[in-house]
Amino acid sequence: MFKDRVVVVTGAASGIGKQTATEFARQAAQVVVADIDERRGAAVVADMRNDGLDAVFVRTDLTSEADCAHLIATATFGRLDVLVNNAGIEISTPLHEMSEQEWDRLVDTNLKSMFLCSKHALRHMVGATNGAIVNVCSVSGLVAWPGIAAYNATKGGVMMLTKSLAVDYAPYNIRANCVCPSIIDTPMTDTSIGNDASVKEAKAKLNPIGRLGTPEDVANAILFLASEKSSFITGAALTVDGGYTAI
Ligand SMILES: NC(=O)c1ccc[n+]([C@@H]2O[C@H](COP(=O)([O-])OP(=O)(O)OC[C@H]3O[C@@H](n4cnc5c(N)ncnc54)[C@H](O)[C@@H]3O)[C@@H](O)[C@H]2O)c1
């Protein structure tokens, strides 16, 4: 479905991004894995290449405009079809105890990075036949998840950035959508809630479907929103949450 398409996935050294990059490559895309973690990013690409897939790693600090510009310039070779803005972090310090530095780190990683990569990607996508941007938001862009106010605020920003991109760039045949996962079983989740099976089971019960999401669940939704099968869908927020926000 993505034969010869150039796809950039940020935060692709781990979790949702790693799975998404791998799925795109399995669908014959030329994938660019971008991450600040050089060791894990290079290992992901080495694994993909061992499986005969087409991928390169570009070490990128997504909070830096110079790095984002370099990523997109390196990636494109004159062509960029899909940008997946996935990288993100969670800091769960209560708001009244959160330092200015923690706030800035969250906003820079979760929201500014998406502005910077989109800005440079759009310059290549405008004038091409079509393009797709998929942002990884969260159910916390739709409802306030308790105890992570600053994270929720960044994801609210991702939601409106997505809708604004959709509206402003539809005339250029560029679509922008986001996915809104509830808790997904990734290294981020191991850090935030711990790796204890009973805690994970309790969290899983918050979803009517009764399990945590997997990186595959989210990657499937991202590939759909990047594909021509969703050609009339833009500005949408697709929940991948086992029914969490349906209650
Ligand atoms: N895991 C969940 O439960 C969940 C739920 C909803 C939304 N999300 C969102 O999904 C996205 C991916 O999360 P995940 O669970 O796969 O996390 P993860 O921690 O497994 O992976 C995140 C990746 O982003 C990279 N990264 C962080 N800061 C970076 C920077 N400045 N520059 C470049 N790369 C950077 C990390 O190195 C890591 O490889 C995030 O945006 C997160 O907010 C996750």
Side-chain angles (χ1 to χ4, degrees), residues 106-164:
L106 255 182
V107 173
D108 286 358
T109 309
N110 292 5
L111 185 55
K112 188 173 90 167
S113 65
M114 297 201 185
F115 150 63
L116 291 174
C117 284
S118 302
K119 169 183 168 178
H120 289 278
L122 284 165
R123 292 176 173 184
H124 291 272
M125 286 175 165
V126 167
T129 46
N130 53 44
I133 297 176
V134 184
N135 294 331
V136 179
C137 188
S138 167
V139 290
S140 22
L142 295 163
V143 294
W145 193 282
I148 48 169
Y151 178 86
N152 296 340
T154 65
K155 294 300 185 180
V158 170
M159 180 68 61
M160 280 316 294
L161 177 65
T162 306
K163 288 175 193 267
S164 303

Side-chain angles (χ1 to χ4, degrees), residues 94-110:
L95 206 65
H96 70 283
E97 289 171 0
M98 179 167 268
S99 68
E100 187 180 355
Q101 287 76 13
E102 284 178 308
W103 172 272
D104 287 346
R105 200 169 141 240
L106 255 182
V107 173
D108 286 358
T109 309
N110 292 5

Side-chain angles (χ1 to χ4, degrees), residues 8 67-77 80 83 117 120-121 124:
V8 171
D67 275 21
C68 293
H70 172 257
L71 164 69
I72 301 297
T74 309
T76 57
F77 304 112
L80 177 61
L83 168 66
C117 284
H120 289 278
H124 291 272

Side-chain angles (χ1 to χ4, degrees), residues 11 13-17 35-37 40 60-63 86-89 109 136-138 151 155 181-184 186-189:
S14 174
I16 293 167
D35 207 286
I36 198 166
D37 188 328
R40 285 195 299 169
T60 312
D61 177 356
L62 294 153
T63 66
N86 163 75
I89 55 169
T109 309
V136 179
C137 188
S138 167
Y151 178 86
K155 294 300 185 180
S182 58
I183 300 183
I184 307 299
T186 71
M188 176 189 273
T189 299

